[in-house]
Amino acid sequence: MEAIARAHTNIALIKYWGKRNTQLFLPTNSSLSITLDHFYTETKVQFSDQFEKDSLILDGSQVSDQEIGKITAFLDHVRNIAGTKVFAKVTSVNHVPTAAGFASSASGYAALAAAASKALQLDLTGTELSALARQGSGSASRSIFGGFVEWQKGEKTDGTDSFATQILDEKAWDISVLSVVVEAGPKSVSSRDGMQRTVETSPFYAGWLATVAEDLQQMKEAINARDFTKLGEIAEANAMKMHATTLGAKPPFLYWQSATLDVMQQVMELRQQGLEAYFTIDAGPNVKVLCKPEQEHIIKEKLAAVASVRDVVVCHPGPGIQYLSEWVG
Ligand code: ADP
Ligand code: DP6
Ligand code: CO
């Protein structure tokens, strides 16, 4: 009745941005990401009929009732599959800033899905685990797998065909992802609220939907051909389009801060100087810079030299879900 799992975060090259069903976490578009080696979550789940409710200790602190509500809603899915009503004690440590645009919801819910389903002895396939994790946070569906991962939006209304699959192993192609920290504190608009407001109110959302499938197709071709230039150009353009949709929302919002722009401009300048780097940005102010491993050191230095940059964390493609026998936290 107890299990521990580790899941890594991921950075989307083609963004998941919008749900067609908010209850089931069914996306409007398919997406593609790289699982990252450096950032991860470890979660322990214990089920016991001694517990009177679910609890979560995240990074050593009891979370709010609202957070417990999200955990209970998610664990209900796992309990339904297992045919049990027993409550859980969840302990989790994020080796990544929480709610800052570093995809803590992806590693957090992937680790929770894996640990909870193992604790209840559910023998889920990777596909089933991905569809389960999706119902905690959409991006978590992709963190079940390592390397380059595609989340197919699926066509069905019940969501059974909406899950992720690995398209390329983490050892098959090394790319450097430099995570540029400009602000590690929580964002003011969550991914969930931001994408929903955009879907419901932004006239620019139609433009996003009109081109994202073609971006994904081109990205898959770039990955198959190991064409870094094409990968970087498409990823950067796709991120720009996603963020543009938020400017048309009612009320409008923007995940960028002035330091975000400083980094974006530095990346464009590096390209002028002949260094090949591209940026992408999830729902938050921090920037991820894609480059070739052989240029990682020099590009890291140039990014760290920007006055508003606090830290640059070097990441590479990382592994999928791991089960641990001992709690380190
Ligand atoms: P991020 O960019 O970090 O993914 P989101 O707004 O998508 O930001 O999600 C942040 C939310 O994810 C948190 O407020 C919390 O509800 C959830 N979360 C983060 N880490 C964990 C964890 N380890 N276990 C459970 N839930 C988590
Ligand atoms: C911009 O998966 O965090 O990072 O499904 O509502 O939990 P919920 O949202 P989340 O959204 C991630 C949005 C994104 C793009 C991406 O990761 O694909
Ligand atoms: Co998230």
Side-chain angles (χ1 to χ4, degrees):
M1 298 288 269
E2 175 178 325
I4 306 165
R6 177 193 293 149
H8 291 248
T9 65
N10 65 74
I11 175 67
L13 300 180
I14 302 296
K15 307 297 183 192
Y16 146 51
W17 195 239
K19 296 178 181 74
R20 64 180 198 271
N21 180 326
T22 52
Q23 289 279 310
L24 293 175
F25 288 75
L26 298 181
T28 52
N29 66 273
S30 300
S31 55
L32 192 152
S33 59
I34 304 178
T35 302
L36 299 176
D37 61 351
H38 193 275
F39 295 118
Y40 61 94
T41 297
E42 283 180 5
T43 298
K44 175 164 77 172
V45 179
Q46 298 161 281
F47 285 96
S48 165
D49 48 20
Q50 305 290 305
F51 301 148
E52 285 169 2
K53 55 185 174 53
D54 295 319
S55 62
L56 166 61
I57 295 181
L58 177 57
D59 293 334
S61 304
Q62 206 97 38
V63 301
S64 67
D65 286 352
Q66 196 193 340
E67 282 296 315
I68 290 292
K70 282 164 76 176
I71 295 296
T72 291
F74 179 75
L75 289 173
D76 282 346
H77 295 303
V78 194
R79 284 187 279 252
N80 278 341
I81 304 172
T84 177
K85 288 191 175 341
V86 71
F87 290 113
K89 180 177 173 185
V90 182
T91 314
S92 185
V93 175
N94 278 344
H95 296 267
V96 59
T98 302
F102 284 105
S104 70
S105 68
S107 56
Y109 276 98
L112 182 61
S117 56
K118 182 146 193 281
L120 292 177
Q121 277 127 40
L122 294 173
D123 203 9
L124 301 184
T125 62
T127 297
E128 289 166 335
L129 190 54
S130 173
L132 174 63
R134 186 200 79 223
Q135 295 175 73
S137 179
S139 54
S141 66
R142 300 185 309 238
S143 273
I144 299 301
F145 304 103
F148 295 77
V149 180
E150 179 185 358
W151 171 19
Q152 278 130 4
K153 69 185 178 82
E155 301 300 332
K156 295 187 185 168
T157 49
D158 67 0
T160 48
D161 60 349
S162 186
F163 50 77
T165 47
Q166 185 185 63
I167 58 171
L168 191 66
D169 187 89
E170 61 267 29
K171 291 179 199 78
W173 190 21
D174 193 17
I175 284 187
S176 300
V177 181
L178 308 183
S179 285
V180 184
V181 183
V182 299
E183 171 62 65
K187 49 194 160 190
S188 53
V189 182
S190 71
S191 304
R192 191 160 308 180
D193 296 349
M195 71 174 79
Q196 194 53 25
R197 194 195 300 175
T198 303
V199 168
E200 285 170 6
T201 65
S202 176
F204 305 154
Y205 191 68
W208 166 258
L209 281 183
T211 59
V212 64
E214 177 61 19
D215 286 357
L216 177 66
Q217 184 53 37
Q218 293 295 323
M219 181 59 73
K220 283 160 73 172
E221 284 178 28
I223 292 168
N224 278 335
R226 309 286 194 274
D227 183 341
F228 176 73
T229 303
K230 183 167 171 171
L231 176 144
E233 284 175 353
I234 297 164
E236 189 172 297
N238 185 264
M240 287 290 225
K241 280 189 277 188
M242 181 209 114
H243 287 272
T245 65
T246 72
L247 300 181
K250 218 171 148 183
F253 65 104
L254 183 60
Y255 284 113
W256 303 349
Q257 296 177 1
S258 53
T260 312
L261 269 170
D262 293 342
V263 179
M264 293 161 77
Q265 272 161 351
Q266 175 76 323
V267 169
M268 292 180 202
E269 239 173 75
L270 291 178
R271 284 207 293 270
Q272 298 265 308
Q273 295 167 19
L275 286 168
E276 212 181 353
Y278 302 90
F279 60 77
T280 182
I281 306 164
D282 274 349
N286 301 296
V287 184
K288 286 83 188 177
V289 177
L290 306 162
C291 68
K292 292 180 176 169
E294 57 266 30
Q295 294 188 334
E296 165 186 305
H297 289 294
I298 175 80
I299 292 174
K300 183 187 175 188
E301 265 174 38
K302 302 258 184 192
L303 292 168
V306 176
S308 49
V309 167
R310 296 194 183 180
D311 197 9
V312 182
V313 181
V314 178
C315 301
H316 291 271
I321 206 85
Q322 297 165 325
Y323 295 96
L324 310 176
S325 50
E326 259 175 79
W327 177 249
V328 190

